[in-house]
Amino acid sequence: MTHDSRLTTYSPPRDGFITHIGRRSLETFRAVADVPTWSPLLVGQMRRLGVDSVPIALFIAVFTGIVLSLLSSYIFTGAVPLYFVGALVGKTVMMELGPVLTGMALAGRVGASIAAELGTMKVTEQVDALETLAYDRNAYLVVPRVLAATLMFPVVTAFAMAVGVTSGWITAVNLLDLSTPEFFKGLRMFYQFKDIWFGLVKSASFGAAVALMGCLQGLDSKSGAQGVGQSTTRAVVLGCEAILVLDAFWALVLL
Amino acid sequence: MIQLDGVTKSFGAQRVLDGLSLDVPDGRNTVVIGYSGSGKSVTLKCIVGLIEPDGGRVLVDGGVVGEMSREELAELRGRIGYVFQFAALFDSMTVAENIALGLARRGHDRSTIARRIEESLAVVELPGTEGRYPAELSGGMRKRVGIARAIALKPRYILYDEPTSGLDPVTSAVMDQLMVRTRDLGVTGLVVTHDMRSAFRVGDRIAMLHEGRIRQVGTRAEIQASDDPVVRQFIEGRPGQMAAAAPRRAPG
């Protein structure tokens, strides 16, 4: 009987960091089979982690579009036809800045929220209480959050992409010497459907990583407010780092 | 019956349980007394498999907890209610939802769940609190809801972790009455506490945990008449010679 196959909660991180994350991820993956436990909680988590994150993602997207438009105009003026502003805004927002900046913002909002919530539950013995009621903590606490983030990060990112391109277009038309047909000519010229799904696939992986880091750090919290605070900080830092690593990984694999 | 047989547990270099052996007979309240940090809560957590002992065996109804499969452990936890020191109520849920959670896990239908919630809240004398959140309750009320959550499952055993700590004398007496009443309903109780007044009111058998093992176990009268200096010092609450009786701090 291995320790991992049981409902036992007390499993301090004795392994190296990577081994520990791998082991806990495997436990989470196994808990996906416990559908009756996590399925009633999924929609609530999707709303909390996804829908409630839309405003911050859109706020970032608006300003990303504006800056990209102005920056590309600054770079291209006198060297490249200005309709390339549309191409650069579109490509950059859809393939890189949309997913990555949204992911970073959500790593702060979602990762911190999950780590603080589960950390508080851990230090107040609510996680132990859950286990004594015969629930698997991974199935009840981790799986619905990781699945919700995996499903909702792409949705939020899709909104961010649309808003980023729109704000870039409005900026180009109003502040640059560029017409709407010219902007969309540039946008269409280099557009591929892959641009969108590449960004959405990345953002789904960012969601999984951010939520998983939040859950694992929260459940590994040490006693007291300071312990929960440290877990929350670690969750955000590790979530951001995971996003950058995954970003490079997908660029290597899919481009 | 719950049996602890030579249980050892260390946290780092700190040996908390050092060959603990204790039988918890059915149908009675057994109270484990001992200094704060002497490993009383660790003992309870070993029984429900929340902490895995380093050595020895924990047996519940003949089954070895450490050798149970995931399903067997879940089934075991269905037979054991656990009342946490600080109640450990789910603060995002109402009182009713807290009690319903374990019942839903066992597949009870809505009407049974509603009836059990009502019955268990009546036993702890908190009717009408179904819709309130833990933050809206006093410490004593939270602990009583913790008991209601445990008894709603109709367990065979209930483990009480410091049930009267931090409570005023009257609320402590109410908690003690509840533990006696629960025993009278046929539930075996294992109570860990350092509140001697509560121990003598609740315990049919009292065991003193000291330096990781049972120092003395006996009936209420036997413990009250004990001539063991460590036991006497503890039950009389006398300061002095704490070095000899120094507890080893344990988590939980």
Side-chain angles (χ1 to χ4, degrees), chain B residues 56-212:
Chain B
R57 296 189 311 164
V58 178
L59 295 99
V60 181
D61 297 334
V64 181
V65 175
E67 294 172 2
M68 288 180 179
S69 67
R70 181 188 177 86
E71 290 74 23
E72 287 168 337
L73 196 58
E75 193 276 327
L76 167 79
R77 289 172 179 172
R79 278 179 277 149
I80 300 178
Y82 199 119
V83 179
F84 286 85
Q85 183 172 1
F86 300 105
L89 300 180
F90 304 110
D91 43 25
S92 60
M93 298 181 190
T94 63
V95 166
E97 288 166 345
N98 264 280
I99 299 171
L101 195 64
L103 294 167
R105 181 64 172 171
R106 283 154 185 78
H108 293 294
D109 58 47
R110 282 187 183 183
S111 61
T112 306
I113 291 174
R115 183 169 46 77
R116 292 270 191 99
I117 291 170
E118 196 179 332
E119 284 171 1
S120 58
L121 285 175
V123 170
V124 299
E125 297 175 3
L126 284 174
T129 55
E130 289 88 341
R132 293 171 71 176
Y133 284 89
E136 299 167 351
L137 305 175
S138 68
M141 289 167 84
R142 270 184 236 153
K143 290 203 176 193
R144 282 149 71 191
V145 172
I147 293 181
R149 183 170 68 182
I151 61 175
L153 304 171
K154 297 194 184 296
R156 187 165 175 178
Y157 307 98
I158 296 189
L159 312 181
Y160 302 91
D161 190 355
E162 305 278 7
T164 58
S165 70
L167 300 182
D168 63 75
V170 175
T171 311
S172 292
V174 171
M175 292 294 290
D176 293 341
Q177 278 179 346
L178 276 173
M179 287 184 273
V180 171
R181 197 183 305 166
T182 307
R183 180 209 56 199
D184 294 342
L185 292 170
V187 180
T188 302
L190 178 59
V191 186
V192 303
T193 186
H194 44 61
D195 176 351
M196 287 315 303
R197 193 190 300 188
S198 173
F200 287 134
R201 273 199 292 238
V202 171
D204 302 308
R205 289 172 79 246
I206 297 174
M208 176 150 184
L209 177 61
H210 183 66
E211 296 188 339

Side-chain angles (χ1 to χ4, degrees), chain A residues 171-222:
Chain A
T171 305
V173 170
N174 289 290
L175 298 180
L176 307 175
D177 189 16
L178 197 68
S179 67
T180 295
E182 283 177 313
F183 181 87
F184 281 99
K185 179 185 172 188
L187 187 65
R188 276 197 304 267
M189 188 173 284
F190 294 98
Y191 169 77
Q192 292 174 291
F193 182 60
K194 184 183 180 182
D195 298 350
I196 291 184
W197 71 252
F198 175 75
L200 297 183
V201 166
K202 281 203 306 190
S203 64
S205 69
F206 297 165
V210 164
L212 194 61
M213 291 301 164
C215 290
L216 300 190
Q217 292 304 314
L219 290 174
D220 284 340
S221 290
K222 303 283 188 298

Side-chain angles (χ1 to χ4, degrees), chain A residues 58-230:
Chain A
L58 298 192
F59 181 82
I60 290 169
V62 166
F63 289 94
T64 304
I66 292 170
V67 171
L68 271 179
S69 201
L70 295 173
L71 194 63
S72 51
S73 159
Y74 172 74
I75 295 166
F76 295 157
T77 299
V80 181
L82 212 52
Y83 60 78
F84 276 99
V85 168
L88 190 136
V89 168
K91 282 276 183 192
T92 314
V93 165
M94 284 186 265
M95 296 185 73
E96 185 61 22
L97 290 186
V100 171
L101 288 184
T102 303
M104 292 282 191
L106 268 56
R109 188 188 177 279
V110 170
S113 152
I114 291 175
E117 183 185 10
L118 299 197
T120 304
M121 287 184 73
K122 169 83 187 305
V123 302
T124 56
E125 294 187 307
Q126 290 177 55
V127 176
D128 282 351
L130 200 60
E131 296 264 348
T132 63
L133 295 174
Y135 282 91
D136 180 334
R137 65 172 174 171
N138 289 311
Y140 193 89
L141 298 172
V142 182
V143 173
R145 286 168 174 78
V146 172
L147 281 182
T150 307
L151 294 171
M152 291 307 291
F153 268 43
V155 175
V156 177
T157 301
F159 279 113
M161 287 176 179
V163 169
V165 171
T166 305
S167 74
W169 161 57
I170 292 170
T171 305
V173 170
N174 289 290
L175 298 180
L176 307 175
D177 189 16
L178 197 68
S179 67
T180 295
E182 283 177 313
F183 181 87
F184 281 99
K185 179 185 172 188
L187 187 65
R188 276 197 304 267
M189 188 173 284
F190 294 98
Y191 169 77
Q192 292 174 291
F193 182 60
K194 184 183 180 182
D195 298 350
I196 291 184
W197 71 252
F198 175 75
L200 297 183
V201 166
K202 281 203 306 190
S203 64
S205 69
F206 297 165
V210 164
L212 194 61
M213 291 301 164
C215 290
L216 300 190
Q217 292 304 314
L219 290 174
D220 284 340
S221 290
K222 303 283 188 298
S223 294
Q226 194 181 19
V228 176
Q230 286 169 345

